[in-house]
């Protein structure tokens, strides 16, 4: 009998339920969720997992209680939301998605894991993989953007990064793919609201990143708070056990979201904690986070025969297996043994700086005002987000509370010197006073260029941060309009740096500014990253992972829509369009300028005909006719024009990248496995349908800017 079975054989019911319980050490003392002192519970073996603590010494002490003072000596599993960095923050995930850089996605996750493991942690509640097509939803900031294929690539890169090659390594974290599934499709973009989507959309759009995470070996999965067509995900046996475990062969741990088991009562499918606990356990949820429903409810549920001891033990087995895989039984103190050295921390900061710059999307750069020329002697840095260090963290910042990120102002003053950078906030982000605008305007006359730092505060995206208005909050619009007007009179360029956890709806601002950078929330090195980019030390290379709306009424907005029987036609009223706004986004998915001027030509798609097991090679020439170097991203889309099921107008299938000096040209080569052209047929099963598929290559998801080729999908040769 192995260790796990021996342990299970010795465990009391209370100890088993302890292994299925995760609680925050602090809350355990003060309520409102778990009652009693966590110290005693850990010693009694009735709390087996913790969240929301970190720090090598603290973790070691709690671990010591479990290992040395509990009857069975089972180590604790300790997790935290290390979503985009631990102490060192990288850009928010939506910003990282914009880098279209799989190496970077992995690298930042690896670094976050190393740093968090040095703080004693063994699990991160990340990556967040919810595809989001509705900018109102605040949690889009934590995720991969609007595209399922992109989300899947991010999923595998992040899982590999967090977990490393060996989960038992002292610097590996167990990753938790969340929130399974379709959380991004909440009604009207309102957080925690109900979800009701078709099975096709579920499997085509929301499932692929989870399937990719499972294929990459993710250790755990967290069900979403939300329901899907009336069945809360925390009790969704068909999707947790049926799909995730049986279809995708996921054999890891399912950990509930915060109090989600208890919330089954509010969802209206459980009368009490016992029923809620039974529903969750029977659906496949192994660990109850923060509801204390398993400890309080499962003994009753057992008596009522709603659950079996075998089911409880199956979950205990999975939790213990994860602890074994993490090496916790061998050496429970392996994480957090050695403090990190200063050079290691400094190297991580450099990575954060590079990542911050790569995440920035240059939406506009009229007259090539950027990068700022040396002739700019004085810069006016205006706006409430210019000197807003804490805001640069974005909505999730794990353990970075004590570290001050570099503000835009600090970064620029560091680069240019104090005297060359003037600053006035003008207004606060969400206050009504406009009394500071006048002094902000005064700076315009004394500077050669104006940097306007506006947008959302960090708390305006993330969890429980849906917004119905996606403009600039507070009095930032009057400030921006006054600055733009003054700059026009003075003939000074205005560069807008937009901070947000989503695409904002600010067409007026984008229209009037000379240049606009979507900086998201760049993290610890924000000001330095932005400085590097606007001073031209680094060229912009980010591409937006979400479509930017012109009007709030356009959302949900995404490029991968299916065709209409009445496609938009300006000359024909009875077509699919708005009367009062264009149906096109302001900026399509994939849009992002560089300091170069790249053009694409000579698309080659070979071979002309493929069967299911072949690979297509796609080559395109790229020439940089601009005066500066550029890192150009080229997107590969497919379009199946005639199939048994209407297919999206464009589907992302790949991307490539090339660095070109001024005047240089080169070729980007991309490969597409014909398998990737399968889709879910009439019966929702994958099919490879013979026929013609368009291959479209270009700088973004704007159909009019794509080069087109075709391939024939051929039936398998007859045996
Ligand atoms: C969030 C999760 C997070 C958990 C633990 C919840 O409110 O939905 O994403 O992992 O809290 O902090």
């Amino acid at each position: 009998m192995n260790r796990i079975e021996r342990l299970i054989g010795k465990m009391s019911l209370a100890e088993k339920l302890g292994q299925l319980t995760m609680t925050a050490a602090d809350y355990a003392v003060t309520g409102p969720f778990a009652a009693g002192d966590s110290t005693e519970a850990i010693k009694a073996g009735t709390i087996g997992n913790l969240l929301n603590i970190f720090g090598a010494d603290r973790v070691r002490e709690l671990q010591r209680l479990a290992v040395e003072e509990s009857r069975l000596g089972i180590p604790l599993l300790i997790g935290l939301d290390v979503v985009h960095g631990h102490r060192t923050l990288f850009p928010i995930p939506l910003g990282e998605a914009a880098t279209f850089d799989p190496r970077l996605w992995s690298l930042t996750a690896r670094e976050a894991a190393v740093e968090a493991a040095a703080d004693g942690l063994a699990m991160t509640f990340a990556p967040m993989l919810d595809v989001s097509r509705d900018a109102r939803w605040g949690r889009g900031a934590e995720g991969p953007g609007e595209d399922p294929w992109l989300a899947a690539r991010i999923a595998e890169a992040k899982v590999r990064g967090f977990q490393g090659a060996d989960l038992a390594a002292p610097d590996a974290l167990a990753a938790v793919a969340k929130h399974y599934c379709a959380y991004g499709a909440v009604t009207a973009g309102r957080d925690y609201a109900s979800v009701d989507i078709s099975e096709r959309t579920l499997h085509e759009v929301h499932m692929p990143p989870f399937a990719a995470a499972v294929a990459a070996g993710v250790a755990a999965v967290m069900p979403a708070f939300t329901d899907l067509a009336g069945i809360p995900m925390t009790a969704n046996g068909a999707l947790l056990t049926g799909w995730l475990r049986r279809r995708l062969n996921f054999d890891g741990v399912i950990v509930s979201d915060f109090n989600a088991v208890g919330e089954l009562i509010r969802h209206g499918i459980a009368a009490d904690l016992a029923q809620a606990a039974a529903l969750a356990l029977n659906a496949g949820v192994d660990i109850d986070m923060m509801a204390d429903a398993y400890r309080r409810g499962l003994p009753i549920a057992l008596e009522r025969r709603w659950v079996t001891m075998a089911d409880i033990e199956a979950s205990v087995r999975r939790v213990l297996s994860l602890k074994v895989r993490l090496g916790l039984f061998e050496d429970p103190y392996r994480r957090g043994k050695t403090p990190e050295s200063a050079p290691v921390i400094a190297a991580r900061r450099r990575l954060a700086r590079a990542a911050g710059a790569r995440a920035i999307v240059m939406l506009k750069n009229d007259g090539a005002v950027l990068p700022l020329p040396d002739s700019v002697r004085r810069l006016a840095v205006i706006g409430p987000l210019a000197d807003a260090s804490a805001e640069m963290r974005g909505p999730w910042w794990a353990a970075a509370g004590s570290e001050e990120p570099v503000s835009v102002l600090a970064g620029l003053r560091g680069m240019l010197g104090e005297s060359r950078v003037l600053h006035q906030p003008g207004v606060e982000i969400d206050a009504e006073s406009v009394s500071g605008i006048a002094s902000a305007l005064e700076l315009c006359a004394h500077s050669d260029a104006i940097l306007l730092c506006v947008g959302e505060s960090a708390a305006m995206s993330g969890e429980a941060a849906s917004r119905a208005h996606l403009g600039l909050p507070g009095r930032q619009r009057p400030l921006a309009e006054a600055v733009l007007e003054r700059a026009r009179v003075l003939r000074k360029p205005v560069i807008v740096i937009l901070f947000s956890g989503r695409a904002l709806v600010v067409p007026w601002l984008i229209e009037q500014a000379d240049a606009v950078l979507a900086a998201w929330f760049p993290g610890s090195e924000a000001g330095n990253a932005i400085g590097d980019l606007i001073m031209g030390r680094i060229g912009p290379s980010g591409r937006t992972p979400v479509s930017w709306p012109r009007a709030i009424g356009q959302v949900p907005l995404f490029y991968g829509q299916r065709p209409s029987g009445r496609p938009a036609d300006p000359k024909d009223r009875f077509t699919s369009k708005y009367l009062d706004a264009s149906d096109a986004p302001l900026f399509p998915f994939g849009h992002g300028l560089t300091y170069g001027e790249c053009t694409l030509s000579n698309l080659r798609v070979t071979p002309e005909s493929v069967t299911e097991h072949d690979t297509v090679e796609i080559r395109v020439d790229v020439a940089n006719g601009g005066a500066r170097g550029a890192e150009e991203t080229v997107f590969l889309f497919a379009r199946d024009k005639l199939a048994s099921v209407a297919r999206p107008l464009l589907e992302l299938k790949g991307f490539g990248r090339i660095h070109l000096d001024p005047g240089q040209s080169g070729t980007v080569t991309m490969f597409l496995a014909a398998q990737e052209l399968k889709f879910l047929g009439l019966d929702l099963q994958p099919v490879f349908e013979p026929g013609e598929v368009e291959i479209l290559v270009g700088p973004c998801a704007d159909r009019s800017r794509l080069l087109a080729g075709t391939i024939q999908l051929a039936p398998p040769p007859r045996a």
Side-chain angles (χ1 to χ4, degrees):
M1 223 196 311
N2 69 21
R3 172 192 277 145
I4 294 178
E5 297 310 321
R6 268 199 313 274
L7 272 174
I8 293 178
K10 288 189 210 157
M11 289 166 100
S12 67
L13 176 61
E15 285 165 332
K16 288 174 190 163
L17 299 180
Q19 291 305 311
L20 306 188
T21 296
M22 181 178 269
T23 178
D26 293 342
Y27 290 123
V29 186
T30 53
F33 295 97
D37 184 313
S38 60
T39 305
E40 291 313 311
I42 292 169
K43 286 204 266 184
T46 57
I47 287 181
N49 314 284
L50 294 174
L51 80 151
N52 288 358
I53 58 147
F54 57 89
D57 293 344
R58 254 186 110 197
V59 166
R60 167 173 279 269
E61 174 52 18
L62 290 163
Q63 197 64 283
R64 195 192 61 75
L65 293 176
V67 177
E68 291 170 32
E69 297 200 26
S70 77
R71 191 173 76 92
L72 297 172
I74 302 173
L76 296 163
L77 170 65
I78 302 181
L80 184 73
D81 292 273
V82 179
V83 174
H84 56 106
H86 180 62
R87 291 181 188 270
T88 308
L89 293 178
F90 303 106
I92 58 168
L94 187 62
E96 257 207 18
T99 67
F100 283 88
D101 186 344
R103 223 187 111 252
L104 185 76
W105 296 329
S106 265
L107 213 55
T108 56
R110 186 84 291 273
E111 282 301 312
V114 171
E115 200 176 55
D119 247 345
L121 295 163
M123 177 179 254
T124 171
F125 307 117
M128 192 281 213
L129 301 173
D130 302 317
V131 170
S132 164
R133 300 175 155 191
D134 191 327
R136 291 172 295 186
W137 191 52
R139 300 203 80 169
E142 299 171 47
E146 74 178 51
D147 185 74
W149 187 89
L150 171 62
R153 303 292 78 75
I154 292 176
E156 57 207 18
K158 287 292 174 197
V159 169
R160 294 201 181 107
F162 284 129
Q163 298 193 169
D166 176 10
L167 219 42
D171 63 3
L173 294 187
V176 181
K178 70 185 191 184
H179 307 84
Y180 181 86
C181 194
Y183 186 14
V186 281
T187 301
R190 209 173 61 250
D191 207 4
Y192 315 125
S194 180
V195 173
D196 206 330
I197 55 171
S198 72
E199 235 185 300
R200 177 171 300 283
T201 297
L202 171 68
H203 288 288
E204 288 185 352
V205 177
H206 299 279
M207 203 58 97
F210 290 95
V214 171
V218 74
V221 170
M222 180 188 286
F225 280 128
T226 36
D227 77 327
L228 180 56
I231 306 170
M233 285 308 308
T234 307
N236 202 317
L239 288 175
L240 293 178
T241 300
W243 194 268
L244 189 61
R245 289 208 190 283
R246 301 222 176 99
R247 252 322 248 280
L248 300 181
N249 290 320
F250 172 67
D251 62 358
V253 165
I254 298 182
V255 50
S256 88
D257 204 344
F258 200 104
N259 196 37
V261 180
E263 287 168 23
L264 294 176
I265 299 173
R266 292 249 183 90
H267 274 286
I269 63 160
D272 55 21
L273 271 192
Q275 196 181 359
L279 283 169
L281 186 82
N282 288 333
V285 176
D286 300 310
I287 296 182
D288 163 12
M289 180 197 282
M290 290 308 281
D292 215 14
Y294 279 10
R295 291 197 308 178
R296 288 158 65 189
L298 285 183
I300 303 168
L302 259 179
E303 262 169 39
R304 295 182 190 164
R305 296 177 194 272
W306 289 344
V307 296
T308 64
M309 190 60 90
D311 290 331
I312 292 176
E313 287 179 358
S315 284
V316 173
R317 198 167 286 123
R318 284 191 282 261
V319 174
L320 294 180
S321 306
L322 179 55
K323 292 183 178 184
V324 168
R325 287 179 67 202
L326 283 162
L328 290 168
F329 280 97
E330 242 85 282
D331 176 7
Y333 308 114
R334 63 178 54 201
R335 291 178 180 78
K337 243 183 196 154
T338 355
E340 295 203 285
S341 69
V344 164
I345 296 169
R348 189 173 296 130
R349 289 291 285 223
R350 286 197 295 277
L351 178 65
R353 182 169 179 161
R358 294 181 72 80
I360 295 170
V361 179
M362 187 160 75
L363 294 173
K364 177 179 180 181
N365 191 22
D366 273 8
V369 290
L370 286 177
L372 291 176
D374 291 339
S375 57
V376 170
R377 299 308 305 162
R378 277 238 179 106
L379 201 56
V381 182
I382 294 174
L385 283 148
D387 190 16
S389 170
E391 302 296 342
M392 300 296 110
R393 294 186 187 124
W396 261 128
W397 36 270
S402 54
E403 329 262 316
E404 283 273 290
V406 181
S407 69
V408 179
L409 194 61
L412 289 172
R413 285 195 167 150
M415 279 178 207
L416 300 175
E418 295 274 322
S419 59
R420 285 178 66 189
V421 185
L422 313 173
H423 167 64
Q424 283 292 331
V427 296
E428 286 172 44
I429 299 175
D430 51 1
E432 289 305 309
S433 166
V434 289
S435 59
I437 294 183
S439 34
L441 292 181
E442 269 174 36
L443 298 191
C444 298
H446 302 111
S447 56
D448 308 304
I450 297 145
L451 215 60
L452 192 55
C453 299
V454 290
E456 301 180 312
S457 65
M460 289 175 185
S461 63
E463 186 173 349
S466 295
R467 295 182 64 208
H469 302 283
L470 297 183
L472 296 181
R475 308 299 282 165
Q476 293 182 87
R477 181 165 182 165
L479 168 71
E481 283 173 338
V483 168
L484 287 160
E485 177 56 34
R486 180 65 58 93
R488 200 165 22 244
V489 174
L490 296 168
R491 295 174 181 274
K492 306 262 167 89
V494 177
I495 295 127
V496 171
I497 304 185
L498 215 45
F499 294 92
S500 63
R502 50 165 67 82
L504 293 177
V505 182
V506 285
W508 59 272
L509 178 66
I510 289 162
E511 159 92 44
Q512 293 174 58
D514 297 282
V516 181
L517 301 178
W520 320 106
F521 292 104
S524 301
E525 288 286 323
N528 290 332
I530 289 167
D532 285 342
L533 200 119
I534 63 176
M535 302 313 297
R537 295 182 184 180
I538 288 181
S541 59
R543 315 298 275 249
T544 180
V546 285
S547 307
W548 281 63
R550 295 166 189 273
I552 185 82
Q554 287 181 312
V555 302
L557 180 66
F558 53 98
Y559 81 86
Q561 301 193 19
R562 284 191 289 267
S564 161
R566 295 182 172 197
D569 175 354
K571 293 183 295 297
D572 185 350
R573 169 145 195 183
F574 294 95
T575 58
S576 178
K577 57 188 168 45
Y578 298 105
L579 287 179
D580 53 359
S582 157
D583 55 303
L586 186 60
F587 297 115
F589 173 89
H591 170 75
L593 306 172
T594 67
Y595 288 152
E597 262 171 57
C598 291
T599 43
L600 273 59
S601 63
N602 194 18
L603 176 66
R604 286 146 283 168
V605 182
T606 50
E608 279 166 20
S609 169
V610 289
T611 64
E612 197 175 329
H613 304 292
D614 295 333
T615 295
V616 189
E617 186 182 285
I618 295 120
R619 307 179 77 208
V620 68
D621 296 340
V622 187
N624 180 7
R628 292 185 148 263
E631 193 172 319
E632 181 70 9
T633 304
V634 171
F635 296 97
L636 163 63
F637 297 99
R639 161 92 173 103
D640 193 343
K641 282 205 289 202
L642 182 62
S644 54
V645 175
R647 302 302 304 149
L649 293 164
L650 288 177
E651 287 180 81
L652 186 65
K653 295 290 179 192
F655 57 83
R657 160 146 328 121
I658 189 166
H659 182 90
L660 294 171
D661 290 332
Q664 201 188 359
S665 26
T667 301
V668 172
T669 305
M670 294 173 280
F671 295 96
L672 171 62
Q675 291 271 357
E676 293 263 334
L677 298 170
K678 281 185 171 175
F679 62 91
L680 301 183
L682 289 166
D683 55 0
L684 291 174
Q685 297 307 310
V687 293
F688 184 82
E689 275 185 10
E692 187 179 281
V693 170
E694 269 186 296
I695 297 293
L696 299 130
V697 171
C700 62
D702 175 353
R703 172 79 218 215
S704 69
R705 298 185 59 197
L706 299 175
L707 301 177
T710 54
I711 45 166
Q712 292 294 329
L713 305 190
R718 266 191 238 164

